[in-house]
Amino acid sequence: MTLALPACSTAGFPLIAAAGGFTAIGLQLGLQALFDRSSDPIFSKAAGVTAHSVIAALFCIFVTGFGCTGWFQPPAALVASAATRVLTPVDSVRWLAAFGFGVIGLWDIPTCFAVPELRKPSFLIHHFAMAAVAACGLALPSYYAFFFLGVVEASSIPLAFYEGLERAYDVASEAGECAPERCERLKSLRDNTQTVATFAFLFTRLYLFTRVTFFGFWPDARAVLPLMLPSAAKRTVKFLMGASASFVALQFFWFGQIVQQIFIAKWFAPKGGGEEAGAA
C-alpha cells in the first residue's frame, strides 16, 4: 500500500539506506569542518559533537513529520483490523525504515564510536536496537512503524536542542570570555529546553510508547501470530514484540536517570546553587 509520502520497493531499500547514510556522513564532515574553523569556542571546542547534535535534530524533525503524516492520516483500509495494521506492506514505511537504517547504521553509530563524548553505553544499545528495528522494515513494513520509527522521535527534538545548549553553556562558562548576558541567556534557554524535553519524554516515551506497545501493537500481534505460517514475517513480528517491550524498559531506565538528575541532584542540592555545586 502506498500513501502520499516517499515510497520504495524491497529492491530500493539498500539505495535509500545508502542515500540517507551518506547524506548524513557528508553533513557531519562538512559541519564539523565549519565548526572547527569557528572563533567561537561554543562551536569549535567539540565540533564533532556539535555537528552530531545538529544533524540529529534535523533527522528527528524529518522522521517525526513523516511518521505523524502516516500514523494520523492512514487510509481506512490500512487500520481496519489487526491483520491489516500488522501485516499489510506499506511502501512508505519501507522508505522510512530504509532511510532510518541508513542514517543510524552508516552515520550515527560510527560517529558515536569515533567521538569519545558520544560513547554512552545506553545510547549505543538504543541505536543498535533502532537500526535492527529499522531493518525489519524490509521484511515487515507495517503501519505501526510510522509510530515506532517516526512519531516517537518527537521527544528527541527538544532533547537534541537541550544537549546542544547544555554543552554551549558549559563551554562558554569555561572559556572565561563569555559576557554575563550571553551566559545568562544560554542558561535560561538550556533550563527552559530541559523542561520541554522532560515533559516531551514523559508524554511520548513513557505514556504514548507504552500505550501503543502494550495496548495496540502487542494485542494485534498476538491476534495475527496464530494465523501466520512459519516465515520471515512471523519471526519479525515476534522480534518486534520483544524489541518494543525492551524499549519500554530502557525508557523507564532513562526516566530514572531524569528523576535522579532533576529531582534529586537539583532540588536537593546543597545551598549555594546547583551550578556552584556542579563546579565544586
Side-chain angles (χ1 to χ4, degrees), residues 243-261:
S244 59
S246 298
F247 281 128
V248 171
L250 179 61
Q251 283 152 182
F252 273 90
F253 167 74
W254 283 338
F255 174 65
Q257 291 187 318
I258 291 172
V259 170
Q260 181 179 13
Q261 179 182 358

Side-chain angles (χ1 to χ4, degrees), residues 201-280:
F201 177 87
L202 293 176
F203 178 73
T204 306
R205 297 280 179 169
L206 290 193
Y207 170 67
L208 274 185
F209 196 100
T210 304
R211 183 173 180 269
V212 170
T213 295
F214 293 124
F215 297 93
F217 176 62
W218 267 51
D220 283 354
R222 292 180 64 185
V224 301
L225 277 173
L227 308 177
M228 300 177 70
L229 297 174
S231 62
K234 186 171 186 176
R235 291 191 295 272
T236 301
V237 171
K238 292 180 177 179
F239 169 78
L240 290 174
M241 289 180 72
S244 59
S246 298
F247 281 128
V248 171
L250 179 61
Q251 283 152 182
F252 273 90
F253 167 74
W254 283 338
F255 174 65
Q257 291 187 318
I258 291 172
V259 170
Q260 181 179 13
Q261 179 182 358
I262 296 177
F263 296 99
I264 297 177
K266 290 190 175 182
W267 285 13
F268 295 97
K271 288 185 177 180
E275 301 297 332
E276 289 82 353

